[in-house]
Amino acid sequence: VQLAESGGGSAQPGGSLTLSCESSGDSLEYYARGWFRQAPGKERELVSCYSTLDGSTTYADSVKGRFTMSGDMSLQMASLSTEDTAVYYCAADLSATRLCRRAMYEHTFWGRGTQVTVSS
């Protein structure tokens, strides 16, 4: 599986951006998939994750109500704040438990990331 993010860029606080994740290779139908981000000097964090176990999508508390991940893996981000500045990565894994619950990424497929910068 190959993943490629697009749609990153700059936005003002309160603004919106939509990220896309294009996949190639294997179909993602049976893969758990999600978005992660890493800000400078901080660890990578889970933003959203779709679980193939129950069809649910979970979100980090920091983005709940502002970010929405669609079935095509696009990530709609609204009410952006400077705290959302980071490199955003899309990811896929055959195991939803590993990807969404246990932060075990040794079998995870990653995109190269796209920068999102929120500033006034």
Side-chain angles (χ1 to χ4, degrees), residues 15 17 19 35 37 47-48 59-60 62-69 75-81 84 88 116:
L17 281 174
L19 305 183
W35 284 91
R37 67 185 181 186
V47 173
S48 63
Y59 297 89
S62 58
V63 306
K64 238 175 239 183
R66 302 188 298 120
F67 289 15
T68 303
M69 187 172 80
L75 183 69
Q76 294 87 46
M77 306 185 295
S79 302
L80 288 165
S81 75
D84 296 316
Y88 284 71
V116 170

Side-chain angles (χ1 to χ4, degrees), residues 23-42:
S23 65
S24 59
D26 201 4
S27 167
L28 293 186
E29 180 180 359
Y30 300 108
Y31 285 75
R33 22 200 202 274
W35 284 91
F36 295 73
R37 67 185 181 186
Q38 187 165 19
K42 294 187 178 180

